[in-house]
Amino acid sequence: MAQLNQQPAVELRDLVKQYVEPSGEVVTAVNQINLTIYDEEFFSLLGPSGCGKTTTLRMIAGLDIPTSGSIILFGEEVTERPAYRRPVNTVFQRYALFPHMNVRDNVSFGLRMQKVAKDEIGDRVQEVLRLVRLEKMGDRRPAQLSGGQQQRVALARALVNRPEVLLLDEPLGALDLKLRQAMQEELKRIQQEVGICFIYVTHDQEEALTMSDRIAVMNDGNILQVDKPYDLYEEPKTRFVADFIGETNFLNGVVIENEGEFTNVRLAGGQMAQVTTEGKHMAVDLPVTLAIRPEKIFVGSGAPPKVFNVFEGIVKNIVYFGTDTYYDVVLPGNVIVTARQQNQDYTGTAATVAIDDTVYVAWRAHNASLLTD
C-alpha cells in the first residue's frame, strides 16, 4: 500500500450521538469517538448492524447533528453546517435513480440544479461516465441497466459534483456475490483515479479488507481498533475484533511466565503454549485468551518440528469446502481447535486423516495473539 497522504480530510473529536426512545430511555448510538481520516484514503467503518457506523457517516454528511463533539473537514469546523454546504456527497445502498430519465440526465441532475453552464455539464458528465465505464450507455434508462450498472450511475452522479470526500453507505449490499466482488475492484480503481477520500460503511469483512487503506472496527458505538487490513487480521487488539474479522480459535488460559520474547501460557486443558509477545511483560497468573486463525494451525498424523506448539488430539469433525478442508480436533481437557488446510492435492491431510483419528495439531508461537480484553 502506498504511503498515506498526511493531510486530514475528516476529523471527529469526542463525537457523541444520542437518541431518546418513546419510553424516555436515552440510547447512545455513537459514544465519544475520536478519529482522523486522511485525504486520498480509502477508509472503512466496519461493524455489525447497530454499531454506530451509519450514524457516524450521516453526521459527517450533515444528515444527522451530533449531540456533542466536533466534525472538521479539511481544517474547517462544520458540525452545525447543513449538508448542502459541506464538500461531501453520499452514495446509498438504494440507488434512487429517476426512472423516467436516461443515464446522462440522472448524472447531470445536480449540476442542472446548480445552474452550471450547459457545455461544462456535458464535459463533466462524459468525464465521469468514462470513469465508471458507462460512456456508451448515456441514453439508456435505469430499467435497461443491470444492478451493477445502476450502482455505477449512482456513483457517477455523486462524483460529477466533485466532492472532496465521498461517503458510501453499504452501496454494494443489493448486489449478488460475484457482482459485488467485481464492484469492489471497480470502486478501488475509481477511488485511486479520482484521488479523493472515500469513507465506506460496511458490515462485510471481506469488502473492508479488500478495498481499504485503513479500517475502523466499531461495536456498541465505540471504535475498538483502527489499523491497516493486515494488522487488523494478524494482530487484533480485542476478542471482538479477532472474532468479527475472519474465523478464530479462542483458547482460555493463564500466564505462567515470561521468557525473553515469549510468554508461556497454561491452557484450560493443562497444555503449555508459547506465544510471541516481543518482550512485552505479562503479569503472572493473568487470565488471557489465545486467538489463533484456523489456517495457521497444522493438523496431521505426523508430528511437526519442535519449533511448533505441538499437541495430540482426536478428530471429531471434517468439513470439505472445495479449496479447503476444516478439521475440528478435541485436545485433552475438552479443548476444541479448528484447523483449516488448503486442498493442494489429494495426497495431503484430507486423504490421510479421518474422524476419530488421533492426530497432532500445532502452530508457531508468532501465529497466536494474546488477548486480555
Side-chain angles (χ1 to χ4, degrees), residues 4-13 35-41 72-76 164-165 197 199 214:
L4 288 178
N5 185 326
Q6 292 302 301
Q7 179 186 7
V10 178
E11 297 172 83
L12 309 180
R13 298 180 181 173
L35 183 64
T36 299
I37 303 170
Y38 297 101
D39 192 21
E40 302 179 15
E41 181 175 22
I72 298 167
L73 299 181
F74 291 95
E76 291 189 27
E164 295 180 35
V165 177
C197 174
I199 303 178
R214 289 189 303 147

Side-chain angles (χ1 to χ4, degrees), residues 59-95:
M59 287 191 286
I60 296 171
L63 301 175
D64 284 345
I65 302 301
T67 304
S68 61
S70 301
I71 301 171
I72 298 167
L73 299 181
F74 291 95
E76 291 189 27
E77 168 83 41
V78 300
T79 311
E80 301 294 333
R81 188 179 297 179
Y84 69 90
R85 292 187 55 213
R86 300 188 186 196
V88 304
N89 248 339
T90 307
V91 178
F92 298 99
Q93 183 174 342
R94 296 183 181 275
Y95 312 137

Side-chain angles (χ1 to χ4, degrees), residues 352-368:
T352 59
V353 171
I355 290 176
D356 291 333
D357 280 358
T358 297
V359 295
Y360 290 97
V361 296
W363 60 85
R364 293 183 172 90
H366 68 268
N367 281 333

Side-chain angles (χ1 to χ4, degrees), residues 260-275:
E261 63 178 311
F262 302 105
T263 294
N264 296 324
V265 176
R266 179 182 290 116
L267 302 181
Q271 302 90 345
M272 293 295 297
Q274 195 169 64
V275 184

Side-chain angles (χ1 to χ4, degrees), residues 215-231:
I215 302 168
V217 179
M218 296 187 68
N219 191 41
D220 291 334
N222 298 292
I223 292 178
L224 303 184
Q225 186 172 346
V226 180
D227 250 320
K228 298 176 183 177
Y230 175 90
D231 295 320

Side-chain angles (χ1 to χ4, degrees), residues 15 17 27-33 35 44-56 201-203 205 215-226 232 238-245 373:
L15 199 64
K17 181 61 178 179
V27 176
T28 301
V30 174
N31 185 23
Q32 204 163 353
I33 64 173
L35 183 64
S44 288
L45 297 171
L46 174 66
S49 297
C51 72
K53 56 190 186 295
T54 292
T55 301
T56 300
V201 160
T202 183
H203 64 272
Q205 302 95 322
I215 302 168
V217 179
M218 296 187 68
N219 191 41
D220 291 334
N222 298 292
I223 292 178
L224 303 184
Q225 186 172 346
V226 180
L232 271 180
T238 69
R239 180 169 181 143
F240 180 89
V241 173
D243 193 30
F244 190 75
I245 297 180
D373 292 332

Side-chain angles (χ1 to χ4, degrees), residues 59-340:
M59 287 191 286
I60 296 171
L63 301 175
D64 284 345
I65 302 301
T67 304
S68 61
S70 301
I71 301 171
I72 298 167
L73 299 181
F74 291 95
E76 291 189 27
E77 168 83 41
V78 300
T79 311
E80 301 294 333
R81 188 179 297 179
Y84 69 90
R85 292 187 55 213
R86 300 188 186 196
V88 304
N89 248 339
T90 307
V91 178
F92 298 99
Q93 183 174 342
R94 296 183 181 275
Y95 312 137
L97 302 178
F98 297 112
H100 63 285
M101 293 184 185
N102 63 24
V103 167
R104 191 175 293 105
D105 288 342
N106 264 284
V107 173
S108 65
F109 181 79
L111 298 179
R112 287 185 278 119
M113 293 299 99
Q114 297 172 35
K115 301 188 184 304
V116 175
K118 188 174 181 180
D119 288 347
E120 182 179 351
I121 289 176
D123 291 342
R124 286 168 64 172
V125 169
Q126 194 59 26
E127 177 187 356
V128 295
L129 288 181
R130 178 202 59 77
L131 182 68
V132 299
R133 297 177 177 173
L134 291 176
E135 60 267 42
K136 296 181 180 179
M137 297 186 180
D139 294 325
R140 294 191 186 183
R141 293 192 176 185
Q144 298 172 297
L145 303 175
S146 69
Q149 289 167 339
Q150 290 182 42
Q151 182 60 72
R152 294 182 194 198
V153 175
L155 186 62
R157 185 176 57 187
L159 289 171
V160 78
N161 293 309
R162 296 177 178 170
E164 295 180 35
V165 177
L166 187 66
L167 310 175
L168 303 105
D169 189 7
E170 306 214 40
L172 308 184
L175 305 180
D176 62 56
L177 176 61
K178 285 191 175 295
L179 187 53
R180 192 160 68 243
Q181 291 172 335
M183 280 301 298
Q184 289 170 16
E185 297 178 9
E186 282 295 290
L187 277 175
K188 186 61 178 176
R189 175 190 65 81
I190 291 167
Q191 187 266 336
Q192 291 174 335
E193 190 165 337
V194 297
I196 65 173
C197 174
F198 277 30
I199 303 178
Y200 191 93
V201 160
T202 183
H203 64 272
D204 188 309
Q205 302 95 322
E206 181 182 311
E207 278 188 2
L209 291 172
T210 299
M211 295 188 292
S212 308
D213 296 312
R214 289 189 303 147
I215 302 168
V217 179
M218 296 187 68
N219 191 41
D220 291 334
N222 298 292
I223 292 178
L224 303 184
Q225 186 172 346
V226 180
D227 250 320
K228 298 176 183 177
Y230 175 90
D231 295 320
L232 271 180
Y233 188 85
E234 299 290 345
E235 299 179 12
K237 298 293 190 290
T238 69
R239 180 169 181 143
F240 180 89
V241 173
D243 193 30
F244 190 75
I245 297 180
E247 298 174 313
T248 311
N249 291 283
F250 294 107
L251 307 180
N252 296 325
V254 294
V255 173
I256 299 303
E257 63 177 343
N258 297 279
E259 186 180 351
E261 63 178 311
F262 302 105
T263 294
N264 296 324
V265 176
R266 179 182 290 116
L267 302 181
Q271 302 90 345
M272 293 295 297
Q274 195 169 64
V275 184
T276 302
T277 49
E278 299 179 345
K280 179 181 177 182
H281 182 83
M282 307 293 290
V284 174
D285 294 330
L286 176 70
V288 291
T289 302
L290 267 68
I292 313 143
R293 302 290 185 185
E295 72 273 12
K296 307 290 189 183
I297 298 176
F298 166 87
V299 58
S301 55
K306 291 301 182 183
V307 294
F308 289 64
N309 291 293
V310 183
F311 311 100
E312 277 192 341
I314 298 174
V315 178
K316 288 302 181 185
N317 192 36
I318 300 175
V319 181
Y320 177 77
F321 282 100
T323 57
D324 308 279
T325 299
Y326 282 55
Y327 302 87
D328 291 332
V329 181
V330 180
L331 308 183
N334 201 35
V335 175
I336 301 175
V337 172
T338 298
R340 170 184 173 184

